[in-house]
Amino acid sequence: RRCGVGWVSVKDRRSATMHGYQAAYGAAQQHPGYAQHPGYAQHAGYAAPQAQAAPAAHAAYPGYAGYANAAGYGQPQAAQHQQHPGYGQPAAPPASDRPQNLNCSGCKHETVAQIVRGDFTLHSENHSKPVYKKNGQWNGLDVMIYYWDERDGPNFSGWWFGPKVGGDQVWAYHPDKENVPPPSGWKVPYDGPVDNTFILTQTGGQAAPQAAAAAPQAAAYPGYAQGYGQQQAAWGQPGYASAAYDHAAAERQRQEQMRQEQMRQEQARQQQMQAEMQRKQQEEAQRRLVEQQRQEQLRLKREAEQKAREEQARKQKEEMEKKAAEQRATLGVRKVIQKLRLATPENFDEITQELQTTLSTELPKCGAQSQIVKDEADKGLEQARKCIDMVMEQRKRDAEKKEAEEKKRAEQEALTKEFIDELTDLLETAEASTEKIKELGAPLEKSEDAPEKALKEIEGIVKAMTEAAQEAKASSKKCTDFVVEKGTAMREILAVTGPQPPAAMAAMQETKNTLAKLLQRMGVLDKSTDTLLATGKVAKDEALRKAAAKTKTAELTKKFNKHDKDKDSFLSQAEVTTFAKAEMGFQCQKSDLEKIWKVAVKKGDKGVSMDNLYLLKMTVGAAKELQRNQKRRAVREAKEKIVAEARAKLRAKIQEVEFAAKDLDAELVKIEQAVAPLLSKVRATPEPAMLKEADACEKLIKAGHDHVEKVREKVVAIPQGFDPKHKEDLKEVVAAETKKLQLHMARSDNRLGRARNLTNCYREKASRKTAASISKVREFALKLARQHGAKNSLSNEQIFGKITKKQKIDEAEFVKFFTSIDQVLKELEFEEEEEEKAEEAKEEGEGEAKPAEEKPKVEKKPIEQVLLTKDGLKSFFASVADPGTKTLSKESFLRLIQVYYKVVKDTPLTAELEVGSGTSERTLKVREVLKLLEGPSTEATMKVYRAKVKCHKDGVEGWATLAGNAGTAFLEEGGHLYKACAKVALTDSAEEKESTTMLREGDVVEVLEWPTKEEESSLLRMKVKTRIGGKIGWITQVDEEGKVLADVV
């Protein structure tokens, strides 16, 4: 609830005014006829003294008493009137309770503040709540305060500032759902944070018709008069009035007397209260006078402080202007120095003169920076001269290189022209041979009505074409051999990469086009020769076929005439029977003759003519086939009888084997149940337990394999015991009957194979897990050893001497050393100079030290600390011990503790530790491997760690930055680990190239001897040790074709 310009709870207001309302109501309830006296509510005497003592903020809120009475305050005897309708029921705040005028002030948002600041007047109503409009527009827009309910969702419900009610454009928002706009807590803009300076206050009174009719005494308590008026309206209901007028007139007179007596008493109390109020007003006036004096003192103090601040600001401004002038002069000189660094030989002298001129004019203005700027100018001039010398030298080298390239290009063009000329001559010779073949085969090209060539003539032509084709192929082979012999050199010439002069590029493209045409002509040669030769062979084959057909026709005519006894050019039935028996070995029956006569004898002919002899042979052949079919059917039926008998015996044997296969299945199920959960237990199971489980599973798999072999032997023995002469007949039956068992055995093998693969995978993961834990211990232990050496200024050789006095380290010495050194690995950190300066300033008493300016902190990954147990160190020692021994040699230890880096981001390699003092040797490229020689050491200027390293690529030494001061990493520890990019052989010696031991893609190895190039084979070979299994051998890192087989991890 809102009261005046502040906010209080109903409970607070009740406690402040309850006694006054009870007194007024106590006097009124004893006089039932009070509803007939319209002026009754005008008597200020009915407000108790306690009501006058209420806070001023409460009394200034019109209608407060109405709210109090509606809620039941000041009605201790309301229970007596509960039977009257409408008595004591809460009423909604009337429209007259809404503030008529509001004022908006504050607001941090500059744009929104210009829009919303000002006075607002009650304008209308929206969603049962008031709408206020600003007195005046902003840029032609109205400014409205309105409420919006939850019809569009709870997120859009609340009070809004906008140009129109319910519009899309809004400036401020409050989620409150009260009946009037809230005074504070507004979000500006509507989706921004709460602006605590944004205040909404009431600036005018409220319309109260009841208050207008109240007496002057009630005007001091407008809330009471309004509330009382509402009660009077309720008690004026017909039911209540009729009950009051049932009393006698005497009772009315008595009550009137009592009322007048109470009014006199109330007037006395009012006079007492007025005196009390005058006393309080005097006290308030005195308090205000004291406050004014205090405010005046504060004003004078603020004015003095303001003058002091202005004086300090003036001095600071003068100092800043002086520094700005120095900075401008310094910047002017440095711009020329930067320009000098980018100078070319053509403009070097001009820029040098400009630098001298700038120094003469600007150097005196640099103040304290003069000497520094002078040194920078001298250094920049010296560096520029060196750069110019380097540019001139480079130009000289480029000119020499260009001359050499032009000379080489001329030689290559001569070789190319010679190659093309020779190849063209060879092609022309081969093409001439092909033309000769075409000329020899021309007589074979005839039209359909041309007379056929004699067979001997065709054979002669084909023979000549074959000889010419051999000559053409020999010529074509010369072309091919020539290209094979000189093609490699030509490919090298034509494969030149990089920028080339336009004329050279055009000549090269023309050469490529010419060669492509020549090669195309070579391809056509062999095809043309083969096509022409095939044409001759086809003609020869056609002639031979026709000759054979004539010969066969002559033989058939001879046979026909032989059996045509009556020489009537027809074969009678008797003659057909003789022909079939003599020539075709078939004895014709009467039914066969009838079929022959239907097929081979025309109507009206006496028998089979020579023209239909082929029909006779066809019909006799069909009859012969029918006879053979009858014989085959008899043989098949006998075979089926034998097979049926054998099938019954096979079925009995198969059932016996099936019972054995069921037992095998039960055993395989046990194996599968044992291996199924293995991979899911990898993460939670320790390595020793994993190895034991793998051994147990392999034992089960071996037993299962033996069982499978026994069942397979029974399957193989099924066809044994039958008559060997029926072996071929039963072969298909046995295969069909045992097919299910064969498939069952194949599935059993697959199931065992899957179980074996799972077990091997589980064992491999156990090995990888062991290797990972050993690697973790190894990495941490070696870092501790290096930290110990750095802390005590010990070299790697001295660390070895501290571990042992002998030539080799044994396990006990190894474990003892690593358990005796500091077990906590610490980070390298820089001291903050700003904090030191602040502390020094505080100690010297220069006043309060200003806090150091905060720089963005780079989040560092915390170092993981590893617990080094004796068992872990023993496993670590066993993994690095020399092969076949239980000791670690000095050479192996130094290789183990040596630090290598790999480049993860391109970074310069400089000659000196300081970043700006040394010249750059070259740029380190990503994935390069570096050997640590010295450091890491701190570089104070840039606040970075740098290390002196040696590049494995070319042996160049220099200083490189590990990581930038913004957290960007350039180098990371590593480089001594390689990963196989493909299958690669692991050989026992560097000379061997093939081996049965193969590294799989992804296997990780540790470098024992770095890659070296073999002169004969151009292979890069290196000696390595596998991380899993610890096998030592040689692998090819890059093959002869330049393919990388192993790369840095």
Side-chain angles (χ1 to χ4, degrees), residues 122-136:
L122 183 63
H123 176 266
S124 59
E125 183 176 278
N126 183 61
H127 293 180
S128 303
K129 289 183 173 56
V131 176
Y132 293 86
K133 181 178 179 182
K134 185 178 178 182
N135 299 338

Side-chain angles (χ1 to χ4, degrees), residues 610-627:
M610 179 61 191
D611 293 338
N612 293 334
L613 186 62
Y614 74 95
L615 295 174
L616 168 64
K617 294 183 68 178
M618 181 183 68
T619 307
V620 172
K624 287 178 67 177
E625 186 64 26
L626 288 173
Q627 286 182 354

Side-chain angles (χ1 to χ4, degrees), residues 758-817:
L758 278 173
T759 305
N760 292 339
C761 182
Y762 189 65
R763 184 181 292 280
E764 182 178 350
K765 286 185 179 296
S767 301
R768 290 183 181 277
K769 198 172 181 181
T770 302
S773 61
I774 292 175
S775 177
K776 194 173 183 180
V777 171
R778 166 182 171 155
E779 182 179 355
F780 187 76
L782 292 177
K783 285 183 178 179
L784 289 180
R786 298 184 196 114
Q787 177 179 278
H788 178 76
K791 182 178 179 181
N792 296 281
S793 302
L794 299 176
S795 64
N796 292 344
E797 289 82 357
Q798 290 172 332
I799 294 175
F800 179 85
K802 186 174 181 180
I803 297 175
T804 182
K805 302 301 181 183
K806 300 175 291 185
Q807 294 298 317
K808 294 185 177 182
I809 302 172
D810 58 26
E811 183 183 86
E813 293 171 335
F814 189 84
V815 173
K816 181 180 178 181
F817 170 74

Side-chain angles (χ1 to χ4, degrees), residues 4 88 90 123 253 446 475 582 656 699 721 743 876 911 924 965 1011-1012 1026:
H123 176 266
Q253 184 178 2
K446 61 183 185 303
S475 300
E656 181 181 352
K699 187 175 181 181
L743 292 175
F876 170 30
L924 299 175
N965 51 21
T1012 55
T1026 60

Side-chain angles (χ1 to χ4, degrees), residues 229-287:
Q230 292 175 357
Q231 286 185 348
Q232 186 180 31
W235 290 339
Q237 298 293 330
Y240 189 88
S242 62
Y245 279 96
D246 291 340
H247 294 281
E251 182 66 21
R252 294 175 185 168
Q253 184 178 2
R254 185 181 64 81
Q255 290 181 352
E256 177 64 20
Q257 292 173 355
M258 290 177 64
R259 184 181 66 78
Q260 292 177 358
E261 179 63 25
Q262 289 176 353
M263 289 178 62
R264 285 193 298 270
Q265 293 176 2
E266 188 63 30
Q267 288 176 356
R269 281 196 298 270
Q270 260 194 355
Q271 292 174 358
Q272 183 181 355
M273 288 177 61
Q274 288 176 357
E276 182 66 20
M277 288 178 64
Q278 289 177 357
R279 183 185 64 79
K280 290 184 177 180
Q281 288 174 356
Q282 292 175 356
E283 291 178 354
E284 179 66 17
Q286 181 65 25
R287 186 188 65 76

